[in-house]
Amino acid sequence: MLQSIKEKFESLYGEGGVAYASAGRINLIGEHTDYNGGYVFPGAIDKGITAVIKLNGTDKVNAYSLDYNEAVSFGLEEADAPAQSWARYIFGVCRETIKRGGKVAGFDAVFAGDVPLGAGLSSSAALESCFAYAINDLNNNNIDKFELARIGQSTEHNYCGVKCGIMDQFASCFGQKGSLIRLNCKTMEYKYFPFNPEGYKLVLVDSCVKHELASSAYNKRRESCENAAAAIKKNHPEIEFLSDCNRLWLDEVRGEIPQEDFLRAEYVIGEVQRVLDVCDALERGDYETVGELMYQTHFGLSRLYEVSCEELDFLNKLARKMDVTGSRVMGGGFGGCTINLVKEDLYQNFVDTAKAEFAARFGHEPKIYDVVISDGARKL
Ligand code: ADP
Ligand code: MG
């Protein structure tokens, strides 16, 4: 990829471009915990965005997307973001950097990527953090990595209409090869844990379905969690989020809240603990326990939190039947991928069977993405 980006850069803008890269991400465990002040556990992957960039001595940005075969130019003082969606990310990152007191000199850039779009691997965060990192470096702004992640998040909020949390950009900026990062979404404290599953592969099976329910259901889930937390708070005023609660405290209010809210809260409280348990297991190198906890998460998301769907439950059940070590729906739910921890000698059989059986049942093949935990934003 880098070679073709370099060639294009030289043909458009000449010599002297500097290469930067960033990554998409997975989240091993810790789903629907972020807005409950709990933990997420993401890592950067070996699929990302690569850009070659050079300051051009003007106040204009000229960017070329190799994947879209399209060029866009914009002035750094212009009020209106470009029409092309990919260019809005770059425009937004420039503006958000300036907003934070950073300098942004005009530049030329050619970039390309290999994160599948809209598959739940956050190609947009990869794009944002690549440019946020590069602009920071080229202008010697010394903005810290957490703020670079915030620049990406604010870009989504203010220029792309996506009110996302911080996890994707955080993982994309902080990712390190062979490590997952446990992020406390309440305090923003984070810690690296070793993830070197020798003899196993991480593989995503993309159902390629997206059910309509997603956004209204998401809001309802949030409401249920807030209701449960508010009820518990009456007995335990010190709590702020559902993640501060334990199972006993939830049981105390069982009769006071709707059954549905109880089940949602039961899932969240269990999930926060599972992230901690996975971290313990990783420190022991115990990938079988990690896998078992992934299945427990899937059960919770499907039966307690009720954000799975027929296609994802099908893939999860198939994984279990085939003795795959761990499997769960990844992301908000109602479609998208399952993330699977699979022994290497089972891998090919699992992938072939998942493709065939899923296609026989649902009429189309799922897509398969192998991922390796890798470095996040960096200069090449
Ligand atoms: P995802 O879940 O992958 O982040 P989004 O819809 O948030 O999906 O972001 C996808 C958008 O990010 C694309 O429509 C495009 O504008 C931009 N993007 C991602 N990867 C690339 C790429 N390789 N080249 C150009 N634009 C990209
Ligand atoms: Mg995105």
Side-chain angles (χ1 to χ4, degrees):
M1 183 157 60
L2 181 57
Q3 198 47 40
S4 52
I5 298 170
K6 269 188 178 155
E7 280 166 19
K8 188 72 193 180
F9 185 92
E10 281 165 19
S11 76
L12 288 175
Y13 310 119
E15 305 270 305
V18 181
Y20 295 87
S22 181
R25 63 100 189 92
I26 54 98
N27 185 33
L28 190 70
I29 199 160
E31 212 65 77
H32 288 282
T33 44
D34 53 349
Y35 52 85
N36 286 301
Y39 298 109
V40 291
F41 197 41
I45 58 173
D46 58 336
K47 294 172 181 34
I49 294 280
T50 304
V52 171
I53 306 187
K54 189 172 86 170
L55 298 184
N56 61 18
T58 74
D59 59 359
K60 265 201 149 42
V61 171
N62 305 304
Y64 188 90
S65 158
L66 210 51
D67 298 318
Y68 286 81
N69 279 316
E70 198 172 29
V72 166
S73 295
F74 57 82
L76 288 161
E77 301 299 324
E78 264 166 37
D80 294 332
Q84 291 84 348
S85 78
W86 63 265
R88 296 178 78 89
Y89 292 98
I90 300 171
F91 182 82
V93 166
C94 292
R95 299 300 274 249
E96 291 295 331
T97 300
I98 294 167
K99 207 190 267 180
R100 285 162 176 78
K103 181 178 162 216
V104 182
F107 60 86
D108 301 329
V110 174
F111 73 100
D114 58 359
V115 187
L117 306 185
L121 298 177
S122 215
S123 66
S124 61
L127 179 53
E128 289 146 14
S129 57
C130 182
F131 277 86
Y133 188 96
I135 288 169
N136 186 47
D137 190 57
L138 288 167
N139 293 282
N140 296 312
N141 282 333
N142 287 317
I143 297 174
D144 72 51
K145 266 207 281 192
F146 225 110
E147 208 49 40
L148 294 182
R150 293 271 185 220
I151 285 171
Q153 183 194 23
S154 303
T155 295
E156 301 259 359
H157 289 194
N158 300 333
Y159 297 90
C160 310
V162 180
K163 298 284 176 215
C164 59
I166 192 68
M167 174 174 81
D168 298 354
Q169 291 77 15
F170 171 81
S172 186
C173 287
F174 283 77
Q176 279 178 14
K177 191 169 180 233
S179 294
L180 296 175
I181 326 165
R182 188 180 70 197
L183 175 67
N184 180 327
C185 296
K186 184 165 121 180
T187 62
M188 294 296 141
E189 284 165 328
Y190 61 91
K191 186 174 173 199
Y192 288 88
F193 288 85
F195 188 79
N196 298 297
E198 258 174 61
Y200 299 85
K201 275 174 173 283
L202 262 187
V203 57
L204 302 175
V205 181
D206 185 355
S207 66
C208 302
V209 300
K210 195 77 219 164
H211 294 293
E212 278 311 312
L213 254 89
S215 70
S216 65
Y218 176 83
N219 292 334
K220 274 182 77 179
R221 297 300 178 280
R222 283 188 82 135
E223 251 171 57
S224 286
C225 293
E226 283 162 18
N227 282 346
I232 295 170
K233 199 175 168 73
K234 285 188 198 144
N235 299 332
H236 304 278
E238 69 275 22
I239 71 131
E240 190 181 348
F241 289 101
L242 201 47
S243 65
D244 302 323
C245 306
N246 60 47
R247 185 51 208 264
L248 292 176
W249 295 355
L250 175 63
D251 285 336
E252 288 169 5
V253 299
R254 185 165 204 151
E256 298 163 30
I257 57 175
Q259 169 74 356
E260 193 176 278
D261 295 355
F262 181 88
L263 294 177
R264 309 304 188 229
E266 184 183 2
Y267 162 75
V268 170
I269 291 171
E271 183 71 352
V272 171
Q273 185 59 45
R274 277 189 291 275
V275 178
L276 297 172
D277 293 345
V278 161
C279 291
D280 286 347
L282 283 179
E283 287 190 320
R284 300 192 303 270
D286 177 1
Y287 289 88
E288 294 299 311
T289 296
V290 171
E292 198 47 47
L293 289 160
M294 291 167 73
Y295 278 111
Q296 286 181 22
T297 292
H298 187 89
F299 176 88
L301 286 168
S302 178
R303 310 293 273 279
L304 305 175
Y305 218 65
E306 296 185 279
V307 293
S308 186
C309 59
E310 208 189 335
E311 292 88 346
L312 294 169
D313 285 344
F314 180 90
L315 289 171
N316 183 261
K317 226 166 145 185
L318 178 72
R320 188 59 122 176
K321 198 175 80 188
M322 294 189 73
D323 276 332
V324 168
T325 304
S327 177
R328 71 174 192 88
V329 45
M330 190 179 83
F334 301 108
C337 296
T338 59
I339 179 167
N340 303 274
L341 181 64
V342 194
K343 286 228 170 78
E344 264 166 17
D345 51 13
L346 184 61
Y347 170 84
Q348 201 54 52
N349 188 11
F350 170 60
V351 165
D352 293 344
T353 309
K355 278 188 184 166
E357 293 201 5
F358 190 92
R361 176 80 174 74
F362 297 106
H364 66 273
E365 273 195 2
K367 291 197 174 125
I368 306 294
Y369 307 118
D370 293 338
V371 295
V372 177
I373 301 306
S374 303
D375 289 326
R378 64 204 183 275
K379 189 175 185 171
L380 292 180

